[in-house]
Amino acid sequence: MATPPFGSQQQHQQHQQQQRPPPPMGSGIQQSAASPMIRPANLPPLGSPGMPRPFQSPQIQARPPPGQFANQGQQTAPGSPAINPVGFMSGPPNGQNRSQPTTPRMQHQQQQQQGPPTSHQLHQQHQQPLHLQQQQPLHHHEHPSQPPPPQLGQHQQQQQLHPPMGQELGLMAGPPTSTPQAGSQKPKRMYPTGINAYAEPTPAYEATPSNHGFQQHPGVSAHYQKGDMQQQPPAHAQGSQFFVPGEKQPPAFGQSVPAYQQGHQPLQGQPLQPNVNQLAGQMGGMNLGNTGYGGAQGIVPVSTVALMGSVPKIYDLDAPPPPIRLPETASITQSPFANCDPSYKRSTLNAIPATSQLLTKSRLPFGLVITPYRSVKEGDEPVPVVSDSIIARCRRCRTYINPFVKFVEGGQRWKCNMCYTLNEVPSSFDYDSVTQRPVDRWKRKELNHAVVEYIAPTEYMIRPPQPLVYMFVIDVSYPAIQCGMVATAATTILESLDRIPNDEGRTKVGIITVDSSIHFYNLKAASGEPQMMVVSDLEEAFLPQPQDLLCNLSECRPVLEALLNRMNDMFKDTQNVGNALGPALNSAYKLVSPIGGKILCLQASLPNLKAGALKMREDPKLLGTAKESTLLQSASSFYKILAVECSKSQVCVDMFLFGSQYSDVATLSCLPRFTGGSTFFYPAFTAAKSEDALKFAHELAEFLSQRIALEAVIRVRASKGLRMSAFYGNFFVRSTDLLSLPNVPRDQSYSIEVSYDDNLSIPVVCFQTALLHTSSSGERRIRVLTLALPVTTSLSELYASADQVAIATLLACKGVERGMNAKLDDARDALTNKVVDILGVYKTHMTASSSGATPNLQICDNLKLLPLLTLGMLKHVGLRGGSQIPSDLRSYAMHLLSTLPSQCLIPFLHPRFYSLHDMPEHCGAIGDQGIEMPQAMNLSSERLSRSGLFMLEDGQNIFLWIGRDAVPQLCMDLFGVPNYQSIRGGKTTLPTLETDFNQRVNLIVNKAREMRRTSYYSQLYIVKEDGDPALRLWFLSHLIEDRAEPIMSYYQYLGHLKDRVNSASF
Amino acid sequence: MSAEAMVFLFGVIVGAALLFVKVFFVILISDLEVDYINPIELCNKLNQFVLPEMFVHAFLSFIFLISGQWIATAWNLPLVAYNANKVMNGKHMFDATEIFRTLGQHKKECFIKLGFYLLSFFYYLYRMILALVNDS
């Protein structure tokens, strides 16, 4: 094996990455961080098993560009089963430990070819005469329509025999963008004009050849050399102009080049290919030979990596979870969609421990992260809909039929994969009684897709599907008018009226405004003018009239528009500071509860009258102490009780909170938390700032136009032996395994912890989530998500299959829960303890150095970012210690931490950090996958440079950091101002200019706002290096690899973890 | 019938009532576990008994105190203090939103109280019979 070159190559890339950005604040931190970077290039990690290295390297070839990951992840699941068709065709696999030796499809055909029924079938016929008579002749029709499995197998085999291993390897580790191939194909220029202009020109710099210069070099190696040479100089050119660049650096770089080229050249382009194939072949052979049910138990390469001394490979944050290695015959249809996509449902462990002891031993958290109602954007696969209302369910455990059941007795029955009960297959699976024609059951969507939606028949309804109901409760007290919330809200609602889902014309809308009295509006007044009714008796708020307060949107449209147009003017001179939210909510509840629906609360002041009145309880003395969590708990039971009532009548409450002062997010967010709603918080909102108004208007408009689900319940079923033990998210737990959600907003995530009832003796476990809901088009539907995972008895496979992103999502939920109910300190300790446990067990059982102190921390490749993500949590506003964070902000961050889906949560914990001033030409331009983003960098301030422009975004905010030595050309190009001094920091909108750079940055900012499935609109801040210190600190607090008092830097944290691991025994 | 016998007769009756209430609690909580009842209903049902139960128990302890039954008073005082503490912290009611998270705790508490009332019941019965025997 060509181990050493691979290693050196990869390390060199690290090296190169390290060197590119100039060192900014050349202090002790940088020193300590820089020294370990170079060291590991020569040292193999101590105690790592021999195998991992070679495994890591081929991925360099096989790794696709980052944009393809989603597809790749899907293909991997069927990929591994497809390896085996050879064995499968030449006879039933030996030693297969199950009742069902061949796939049902095979069995089906065998049966037909044999002609007369076997004794087995006769027995069946005896039991089910009618059924069989009806079905037997159909098999002939059915036969030709089925694709013969051998062909399918061969086809897949040809495609997959080589790739799978490469894919698997590719998924495990490695830089996606710094691969030699990608690198050699990529244009290496990095905004040449920009750099020339923006970085103060140095002679070396001006010598950079023209744009196409390097393409004239024919050889691959020449490309390489050229490319790297070009990438490097800017760094040095910049580096030389501020701080001490370190006299050593250029020579070091110069020295490294030849070595690098030597190491590189044999690896480029073609030469690596055979290695990969060879390896894939070998591994494929291993898998082929391994015919037992242990397709899942096959040799799973665990590649151990050393954590300390290397920069965290953050690009793996976007990598798909470890592949699910199901046995070949797990799915009855070899459909590529047979297993659930991770964006809908992912497990923290992609191989399930067979015993609870094994799980306890590994100390890995076991849970599911579910986003059942994620939005489907353009280009995404829509959820297939089964519209013939044939819903096959297990009669015992009520599991829906899915691709992992088994057909037995000649396809007459199916065996439930959760409880192993035999169930009748509905005759309509094979015969359509309406058209009187046979149908192909293998084409049924529920047998081919893990995510399907059924149109539910009336048995699934307690009442006719409810229409959408939007009840607005708008605060019109003095602070609300003053900050412009009412005006913005009224305009936004007015403009969004067309976007509110109203397919069947049943959607109802009502408006209540509230200050010290409650104002109702008759939206169906005969005069065509809205009629306002004021109820000032708050003790027993009654409804002034029985109907027309909640009206059909299409019918009351003119009146509603008139009201919204006038709303701000009606109250513009108010001096009323009362806010009777409680009584208003009670009235709104009375109005909505007969139907169910949504109450949207827009509040800009603290409720201060009658029921539900809240006090300003923020006490700076409590912040940072053990008592702080009392501020994060609900202050009044009123809202909790109301939430329970709302949940019972299918009413969801959403909170839009605008705080110029304390707004008690902790208490008010109780309502959304237990009714499946959402909370939005706009601290220091003033509509006079167009950015504030834009953010709110965008989010409210998105929120109103969301096609939400109504009157929903979620139930998660799992194979026998497993149980859902704890639930995190916004819902009401109605039974031990039933979640009730009056509304299901798009893209909200729910985390569920799983525990053991019994040990597992089965090769595959299944988790099935069923979401019974009414769609916004008024159909009762059931969305079923099925996830099948292999069972393992080996600790190494368990570790190799752990999904760090899902683990981080689950840990964030648990941390938030702990922080709210106990102490924030406890929550942080628990998070660190968890990581220490995982690292400790890994060290003890998976590495050579089982006991005693080791100089480095080791973990498997797929968990290598867990310490970084945990550190991100410890430094996150939601959990960070210190007395600086107002409890409102903390509560809101906690709300986000426990509801954001993984896709948005990971950037929220570990923001994306880009360098814009020296980004390559193609970034910000429209490429194959839309607008191309620059490569994300590590979150460390050593990446910042005084003349640079950097962007950091976490899904909620976007920061543009601009160094104080930014050249005037950059200021001119991007902001249209002559120099750095004229740039205005703070919340802002980027001007749109004619310059190329400005357009690219604008595109990148817009892409950052739109690239995730979320309705949040990121606010843009411009952070000047010497600008507003608060803003600067806020920006710097996102750089989690840095030391931020009192929390350690990433390397200190690793050292701390190492000490803890070394001092304890596991 | 002496005053002592009267006091313990009252104790026996109240003890039996408390016993029944606790059995009712345990049954409902087990119902929740097997999904025969939803948490909202459960909390509505149980919460109306929580304060009366505590009050009755405190009243019984008070009767023991003024009638000079020091052992019985000492036996009951810790529970009175525990209940009072819970009410002061506002944690005595069953919370439907948290019930599944705290179910184990509630169950444990119910069983301990059940045992406590059972022991109390037999103790009161014994003391009542003792007092009656001494009377005659």
Side-chain angles (χ1 to χ4, degrees), chain A residues 17 20-22 311-315 317 868 910-918 934-945 949-952 1039 1041:
Chain A
Q17 271 185 355
R20 201 183 309 153
V311 182
K313 299 191 175 73
I314 50 165
Y315 32 74
L317 285 174
L868 183 65
H910 184 284
R912 297 281 186 272
F913 185 36
Y914 307 107
S915 159
L916 296 188
H917 62 286
D918 57 356
Q935 196 180 347
M937 300 190 298
N938 285 83
L939 288 169
S940 146
S941 56
E942 73 189 61
R943 308 266 165 175
L944 293 172
S945 73
L949 174 74
F950 297 87
M951 181 173 118
L952 183 140
L1039 299 175
E1041 283 181 32

Side-chain angles (χ1 to χ4, degrees), chain A residues 818-1013:
Chain A
R818 193 76 175 264
M820 273 190 202
N821 294 334
K823 280 185 287 187
L824 285 164
D825 278 335
D826 289 1
R828 286 188 293 266
D829 289 348
L831 286 172
T832 303
N833 289 345
K834 192 81 215 167
V835 181
V836 168
D837 282 353
I838 292 171
L839 290 169
V841 172
Y842 192 84
K843 185 192 112 184
T844 315
H845 297 284
M846 300 294 298
T847 61
S849 53
S850 56
S851 58
T854 44
N856 207 329
L857 270 181
Q858 290 169 355
I859 189 69
C860 47
D861 191 62
N862 49 316
L863 286 178
K864 63 177 182 287
L865 295 172
L866 191 60
L868 183 65
L869 289 172
T870 316
L871 185 68
M873 280 178 227
L874 299 182
K875 294 194 174 185
H876 196 271
V877 177
L879 293 170
R880 183 167 63 210
S883 53
Q884 305 300 319
I885 302 161
S887 59
D888 275 350
L889 281 181
R890 205 189 273 285
S891 280
Y892 184 56
M894 284 178 147
H895 159 79
L896 291 175
L897 282 177
S898 53
T899 55
L900 285 180
S902 297
Q903 192 202 24
C904 304
L905 181 78
I906 296 305
F908 196 43
L909 293 175
H910 184 284
R912 297 281 186 272
F913 185 36
Y914 307 107
S915 159
L916 296 188
H917 62 286
D918 57 356
M919 62 183 172
E921 192 97 305
H922 62 88
C923 296
I926 296 168
D928 298 339
Q929 285 126 17
I931 299 150
E932 288 195 30
M933 298 295 275
Q935 196 180 347
M937 300 190 298
N938 285 83
L939 288 169
S940 146
S941 56
E942 73 189 61
R943 308 266 165 175
L944 293 172
S945 73
R946 271 197 173 179
S947 64
L949 174 74
F950 297 87
M951 181 173 118
L952 183 140
E953 61 95 14
D954 66 356
Q956 302 292 322
N957 296 300
I958 299 175
F959 300 91
L960 276 180
W961 189 95
I962 180 154
R964 69 174 76 165
D965 290 341
V967 290
Q969 186 66 42
L970 186 145
C971 307
M972 199 63 211
D973 276 5
L974 183 57
F975 303 103
V977 294
N979 52 30
Y980 171 77
Q981 281 72 29
S982 342
I983 298 172
R984 203 170 52 86
K987 238 179 242 179
T988 184
T989 313
L990 212 55
T992 314
L993 303 176
E994 285 303 302
T995 59
D996 172 60
F997 189 62
N998 176 282
Q999 284 168 1
R1000 281 164 59 201
V1001 173
N1002 261 318
L1003 282 174
I1004 287 176
V1005 167
N1006 286 338
K1007 164 102 176 177
R1009 282 179 175 148
E1010 285 161 11
M1011 64 184 171
R1012 303 195 182 94
R1013 294 182 293 267

Side-chain angles (χ1 to χ4, degrees), chain A residues 76-221:
Chain A
T76 335
S80 35
I83 300 170
N84 220 335
V86 180
F88 155 73
M89 277 152 51
S90 58
N94 294 328
Q96 205 167 17
N97 191 10
R98 16 169 89 199
S99 58
Q100 202 50 23
T102 53
T103 61
R105 192 183 295 198
M106 282 292 286
Q107 200 186 38
H108 222 77
Q109 286 180 345
Q110 278 166 3
Q111 177 200 335
Q112 287 150 18
Q113 283 154 9
Q114 280 159 12
T118 60
S119 62
H120 193 61
Q121 288 164 330
L122 281 173
H123 176 68
Q124 168 71 18
Q125 201 169 15
H126 177 69
Q127 281 188 331
Q128 300 279 334
L130 253 177
H131 219 80
L132 204 71
Q133 275 163 14
Q134 205 184 11
Q135 296 214 343
Q136 201 64 357
L138 303 178
H139 290 304
H140 290 285
H141 294 282
E142 203 184 312
H143 183 203
S145 64
Q146 282 177 24
Q151 280 181 8
L152 182 80
Q154 271 175 350
H155 177 67
Q156 284 194 353
Q157 185 201 351
Q158 279 172 2
Q159 282 195 339
Q160 303 275 5
L161 192 58
H162 294 306
M165 206 50 225
Q167 282 178 356
E168 285 176 8
L169 293 167
L171 297 174
M172 284 191 311
T177 43
S178 58
T179 69
Q181 272 196 340
S184 62
Q185 283 157 8
K186 224 165 43 180
K188 283 291 177 182
R189 303 278 301 151
M190 24 192 337
Y191 195 53
T193 51
I195 296 170
N196 271 331
Y198 299 154
E200 283 166 17
T202 59
Y205 206 64
E206 282 173 64
T208 319
S210 69
N211 207 353
H212 301 286
F214 75 97
Q215 285 176 4
Q216 289 158 4
H217 294 267
V220 182
S221 55

Side-chain angles (χ1 to χ4, degrees), chain A residues 607-743:
Chain A
N608 52 12
L609 288 172
K610 304 294 172 195
L614 297 172
K615 280 199 284 290
M616 157 77 197
R617 55 176 177 148
E618 176 98 319
D619 182 0
K621 269 180 256 150
L622 286 183
L623 296 181
T625 66
K627 283 251 167 81
E628 187 176 358
S629 50
T630 55
L631 295 179
L632 304 172
Q633 289 163 356
S634 170
S636 156
S637 61
F638 172 82
Y639 295 96
K640 239 180 187 178
I641 293 167
L642 183 65
V644 171
E645 290 297 315
C646 285
S647 171
K648 220 161 70 176
S649 349
Q650 307 292 357
V651 177
C652 159
V653 186
D654 296 289
M655 284 282 171
F656 287 78
L657 301 172
F658 304 81
S660 47
Q661 291 150 15
Y662 181 67
S663 16
D664 209 342
V665 178
T667 308
L668 293 177
S669 68
C670 259
L671 276 167
R673 183 167 337 123
F674 297 113
T675 59
S678 320
T679 307
F680 293 83
F681 180 49
Y682 306 91
F685 178 87
T686 42
K689 267 203 177 134
S690 61
E691 289 81 21
D692 276 356
L694 185 69
K695 179 178 162 72
F696 164 53
H698 183 273
E699 289 178 0
L700 179 61
E702 280 293 307
F703 192 72
L704 289 176
S705 60
Q706 260 181 19
R707 303 192 69 84
I708 52 170
L710 310 163
E711 37 181 4
V713 287
I714 295 179
R715 198 188 286 273
V716 185
R717 297 183 175 85
S719 294
K720 223 195 236 168
L722 297 174
R723 182 169 47 89
M724 307 301 127
S725 57
F727 303 88
Y728 307 94
N730 283 6
F731 43 69
F732 178 71
V733 189
R734 210 161 64 188
S735 152
T736 41
D737 61 344
L738 187 72
L739 311 178
S740 123
L741 300 99
N743 280 188

Side-chain angles (χ1 to χ4, degrees), chain A residues 471-695:
Chain A
M471 185 85 220
F472 296 93
V473 177
I474 303 175
D475 174 13
V476 290
S477 61
Y478 176 75
I481 298 291
Q482 207 55 30
C483 73
M485 180 275 277
V486 178
T488 318
T491 321
T492 313
I493 297 169
L494 186 64
E495 281 166 2
S496 317
L497 286 180
D498 281 327
R499 294 178 68 195
I500 292 179
N502 192 11
D503 294 347
E504 297 183 312
R506 297 201 301 157
T507 304
K508 286 172 183 273
V509 179
I511 291 186
I512 291 177
T513 54
V514 60
D515 45 25
S516 59
S517 49
I518 307 169
H519 320 125
F520 296 87
Y521 297 90
N522 180 348
L523 298 175
K524 241 188 202 165
S527 60
E529 291 287 305
Q531 189 186 345
M532 177 165 149
M533 283 156 284
V534 180
V535 174
S536 45
D537 178 9
L538 300 176
E539 290 293 344
E540 279 179 53
F542 55 93
L543 300 181
Q545 62 179 57
Q547 68 259 342
D548 294 346
L549 297 176
L550 194 62
C551 278
N552 189 303
L553 175 60
S554 352
E555 286 169 18
C556 69
R557 185 75 185 259
V559 186
L560 189 65
E561 283 179 4
L563 170 63
L564 289 169
N565 271 323
R566 215 176 292 170
M567 181 168 282
N568 195 48
D569 294 339
M570 287 195 295
F571 298 100
K572 69 173 189 288
D573 299 322
T574 188
Q575 295 296 323
N576 197 330
V577 290
N579 179 358
L581 176 65
L585 275 173
N586 276 332
S587 313
Y589 169 72
K590 258 185 237 164
L591 268 173
V592 178
S593 59
I595 314 169
K598 196 181 246 320
I599 299 177
L600 287 105
C601 273
L602 296 108
Q603 291 295 314
S605 57
L606 209 56
N608 52 12
L609 288 172
K610 304 294 172 195
L614 297 172
K615 280 199 284 290
M616 157 77 197
R617 55 176 177 148
E618 176 98 319
D619 182 0
K621 269 180 256 150
L622 286 183
L623 296 181
T625 66
K627 283 251 167 81
E628 187 176 358
S629 50
T630 55
L631 295 179
L632 304 172
Q633 289 163 356
S634 170
S636 156
S637 61
F638 172 82
Y639 295 96
K640 239 180 187 178
I641 293 167
L642 183 65
V644 171
E645 290 297 315
C646 285
S647 171
K648 220 161 70 176
S649 349
Q650 307 292 357
V651 177
C652 159
V653 186
D654 296 289
M655 284 282 171
F656 287 78
L657 301 172
F658 304 81
S660 47
Q661 291 150 15
Y662 181 67
S663 16
D664 209 342
V665 178
T667 308
L668 293 177
S669 68
C670 259
L671 276 167
R673 183 167 337 123
F674 297 113
T675 59
S678 320
T679 307
F680 293 83
F681 180 49
Y682 306 91
F685 178 87
T686 42
K689 267 203 177 134
S690 61
E691 289 81 21
D692 276 356
L694 185 69
K695 179 178 162 72

